Amino acid sequence: MIDDTIYIGGFKNDTFEGKARLLLPTGVIFEGLFSKGICASIGRLLYPDGEIYFGQHKGFMKDGQGKTIFLKGSIYEGHYKKGVMKGFGRHFDIETGDIYLGNFMNGKRHGEGKLYSKGKDEIYDGNWASDKKNGTGKVISRNGQIHMGDFRTNIMEGLLQ
């Protein structure tokens, strides 16, 4: 191919057709279907760092709904925009055991979301900004205690209840 992209798959009438693999100059491998020379908008992307993505893409960049399994085993499932987590998603951190369900912006927790913290054995339900608890939220502990308050950069400033 012209730009050092390597295609391994079927051909029909001199165009890409069927199941195939495409090795891009960036080292990313696309696995998916081609029809009349056009790549399907859903497929698998394998990254040189060991990350695996399955879902929607545009120009071999994560875009739309998808699931990523990171090299160390953490998993994100949700929405991407131009390769970055944006919109609603779920993230499981294999190292801490934490689970987050909520909104993301620019790859960080942002907006409404819930975090189950395995280490603290509690749930935070509230607002986030740039990956930090920020705004109104509540902390529910294992023993059933609920603390509501305002948070600024992960610190509760005052109890509301």
Side-chain angles (χ1 to χ4, degrees):
M1 298 191 72
I2 298 171
D3 65 358
D4 295 330
T5 298
I6 298 171
Y7 174 85
I8 301 169
F11 286 90
K12 184 176 180 183
N13 298 326
D14 291 329
T15 60
F16 301 157
E17 188 72 30
K19 200 172 190 179
R21 281 187 172 184
L22 199 62
L23 175 58
L24 304 168
T26 60
V28 173
I29 298 171
F30 169 78
E31 294 178 337
L33 296 174
F34 284 80
S35 178
K36 298 178 184 173
I38 299 171
C39 168
S41 63
I42 295 176
R44 186 181 340 208
L45 297 170
L46 309 169
Y47 293 87
D49 66 0
E51 186 177 297
I52 301 168
Y53 171 79
F54 180 80
Q56 296 174 311
H57 71 94
K58 286 184 184 171
F60 309 110
M61 183 182 292
K62 302 171 192 173
D63 203 282
Q65 287 298 119
K67 179 178 185 175
T68 300
I69 302 171
F70 299 93
L71 179 61
K72 292 186 178 181
S74 293
I75 299 169
Y76 171 78
E77 187 171 4
H79 196 79
Y80 283 91
K81 188 69 175 172
K82 295 182 180 178
V84 180
M85 295 180 283
K86 184 176 182 180
F88 185 81
R90 294 181 292 251
H91 183 264
F92 170 66
D93 188 320
I94 192 78
E95 293 177 2
T96 64
D98 293 353
I99 300 169
Y100 174 79
L101 283 88
N103 289 300
F104 288 83
M105 182 181 284
N106 298 322
K108 297 181 178 182
R109 296 174 285 201
H110 195 89
E112 290 286 321
K114 294 178 184 172
L115 174 72
Y116 165 68
S117 174
K118 183 177 180 186
K120 294 181 180 179
D121 205 17
E122 66 183 22
I123 297 170
Y124 170 76
D125 183 0
N127 291 299
W128 295 81
S130 295
D131 240 10
K132 301 201 182 309
K133 299 169 189 164
N134 204 56
T136 303
K138 63 183 170 184
V139 176
I140 306 164
S141 63
R142 181 166 240 356
N143 65 10
Q145 287 185 326
I146 299 173
H147 299 283
M148 295 179 67
D150 286 325
F151 288 79
R152 298 289 171 255
T153 60
N154 282 339
I155 297 170
M156 185 183 282
E157 290 189 332
L159 290 175
L160 296 177
Q161 180 179 345

